[in-house]
Amino acid sequence: MRNDVMSPAEAREFSDRIREMRWERQKERTARRSAAAARRAAFVRSIPASVALVLQARSRA
């Protein structure tokens, strides 16, 4: 049972690894959110052009 206890150095290393994993997950989440925001912004910017194309096509018909 005594072997289950980590030394202070092992505990620090474990803690550092956990912190780094959380940091990486946070960066991935931030990247996903900003990519989604960029897609939404691109879609919103494309709406006026799409409407113009539809109106232009209607006026030709």
Side-chain angles (χ1 to χ4, degrees):
M1 190 69 184
R2 180 81 175 117
N3 292 336
D4 291 346
V5 177
M6 287 190 244
S7 72
E10 290 172 324
R12 268 194 306 279
E13 183 181 336
F14 182 76
S15 175
D16 289 347
R17 268 189 278 141
I18 297 297
R19 189 177 299 119
E20 190 167 319
M21 286 170 41
R22 286 181 179 150
W23 175 247
E24 291 297 323
R25 262 190 303 192
Q26 179 64 31
K27 286 195 309 188
E28 290 168 2
R29 247 193 321 266
T30 302
R32 278 197 306 271
R33 285 180 183 150
S34 65
R39 283 193 304 273
R40 275 194 303 275
F43 173 73
V44 168
R45 283 193 304 270
S46 73
I47 291 173
S50 299
V51 169
L53 286 174
V54 169
L55 293 177
Q56 189 178 32
R58 280 188 184 170
S59 67
R60 287 183 181 170

